[in-house]
Amino acid sequence: MSVKEEINKRRTFAIISHPDAGKTTLTEKFLLYGGAINLAGSVKGKATARHAVSDWMEIEKERGISVTSSVMQFNYGGYCINILDTPGHQDFSEDTYRTLMAADSAVMVIDAAKGVEPQTRKLFKVCGMRGIPIFTFINKLDRDANDTFELLDEIEKELGIATCPINWPIGCGKMFKGVYDRQKKAVVTYSDTEKGTKEGETKHIPIDDAKAVEEAIGKERMDILNDEIDLLDGASDSYDLEAIRAGKLTPVFFGSALTNFGVEIFLKYFLEMTTTPLARRSKGELIDPVDNAFSAFVFKIQANMNKAHRDRIAFMRICSGKYESNMEVKHVQGGKVMRLSRPQQIMADERKILDEAYAGDIIGVFDPGIFSIGDTLCMQGDDILYEGIPTFAPEHFARVRQIDTMKRKQFVKGITQIAQEGAIQIFQEYNTGLEEIIVGVVGVLQFDVLKYRLENEYNVEIKLDPLPYEHIRWIVSAETELDKIVGTSDMKKIKDLKDRPLLLFINEWSVGMTLDRNKGLVLSEFGTE
Ligand code: G4P
């Protein structure tokens, strides 16, 4: 197969959801269809002995949750699929956001009884920032669900994206019979499936065959469905692949990941509609994945994934061309040529050494401490520099200090290294003369991870005193001087490691007040690395 064919069959996406909406269950079903696993339940064990795919750190094992993300690759229907696993726990970190930077599209799982939830909103915002296609899977139709039209309305209003249902549920709860395929104009019914297997009988019945439809779903359901189809045809946005690919319209699917209703039909349509690996911007120019030789960018760095190895792994997304074993590449930021030896694909507790990989794929490379998040790798003669990954606004802050004052050196080293990996952000007081470090995280779980890692890897005990701030803003107006900013009484001035000034606020109201009081001040929720 040519490099072009290899790249064009790749589909790289992330599945996002609020915890418990069914992201893991849906991922498992995809893996089952791809033959990558044999039994559902092997992706994540919740607080049980079952092994988790990304169960790297002890803390994850202790709590039965997954903190880090990994990648799953499998083949299905002629496609080579890379699913980027984003942590599903309610506390997530910047890794979750960064993972979205490496994806070409996102599947958004929504619980039909809960609708749009806080984390769906947050993740959605990041997808929106990149304009990647978003596919909506409304899950758990085998339980009582909210009104279908209201769910669509909620997505449109809360997330500000137009919706286009590709299939439509036939009943819900115990009366959930299957879905109506609007493109093929067919009723798709399912027989009950054993939990955890993909077997079960699927029937496709043309809607025009009223007799067969009535037999399958009953007269009452059929009448309701026909009314709903008419309503939908008149009211919903029409199918527009260009708008979908631009992230302006989300195709909506309904189903039940648990019972497999509507899952395979979703996967098939999704793979047809989503994009091949997207071109990325370098110095204002788009780098075509097929027409260029190997290039990649680092989106995540993870240390000590395996205690026995004490290694640090840089995860990179290949943006163009082909990687071949032992290839020599240029690390652009470091200005050095290096050999990419033994890159790995990391799935479950296994690490597979790769001989080749293509644009769209994710590889993990041993990092002797030279990579930073956002770094570019390319061939020696090429001049590529991918645009940086934004720093996402932490929402929780704490003052941190080491308990044993003699261990200041280890403490600073440890916390700086962990910050370089991007797990936390560290800040300093501005003009107070205090040496204390302020740490900011996207999800509070990262505080525990920090404490745990400092103790276990650097032998430093720390104390964290939570601070009340929830909003951070980078100052982007060039001429603004931090000293001159007149803020509200609850505003705090700090600086980051690069000495850039920042402001902390307790609430949005203070952000608005400060903007009002300082003409010309421009604040941003995102910094750039
Ligand atoms: P997450 O990764 O988004 O956090 O969600 P996950 O798939 O772990 O699903 C959360 C719970 O919802 C699980 O139940 C799962 O079985 C259930 N679930 C997922 N999809 C469906 C569905 O389509 N219908 C129904 N009825 N339930 C669904 P649990 O009891 O927390 O865990 P488990 O013991 O079943 O694994």
Side-chain angles (χ1 to χ4, degrees), residues 17-26 44 46 50 88-89 109 137 139-143 195 255-259:
S17 78
H18 190 86
D20 275 346
K23 184 174 73 73
T24 312
T25 312
L26 187 67
K44 182 173 73 176
K46 279 196 180 166
R50 277 187 287 167
H89 192 260
V109 184
F137 185 79
N139 190 29
K140 305 200 186 181
L141 265 294
D142 60 310
R143 287 202 190 148
K195 193 180 171 188
S256 159
L258 192 68
T259 60

Side-chain angles (χ1 to χ4, degrees), residues 335-346:
K336 288 215 174 81
V337 172
M338 56 182 294
R339 197 175 286 281
L340 279 191
S341 52
R342 298 169 67 79
Q344 318 176 7
Q345 190 183 40
I346 296 181

Side-chain angles (χ1 to χ4, degrees), residues 8-9 11 74-81 268 271-272:
N8 285 340
K9 73 173 194 179
R11 298 290 183 275
F74 65 96
N75 294 299
Y76 174 83
Y79 297 97
C80 175
I81 297 163
K268 281 188 174 152
L271 290 169
E272 277 169 27

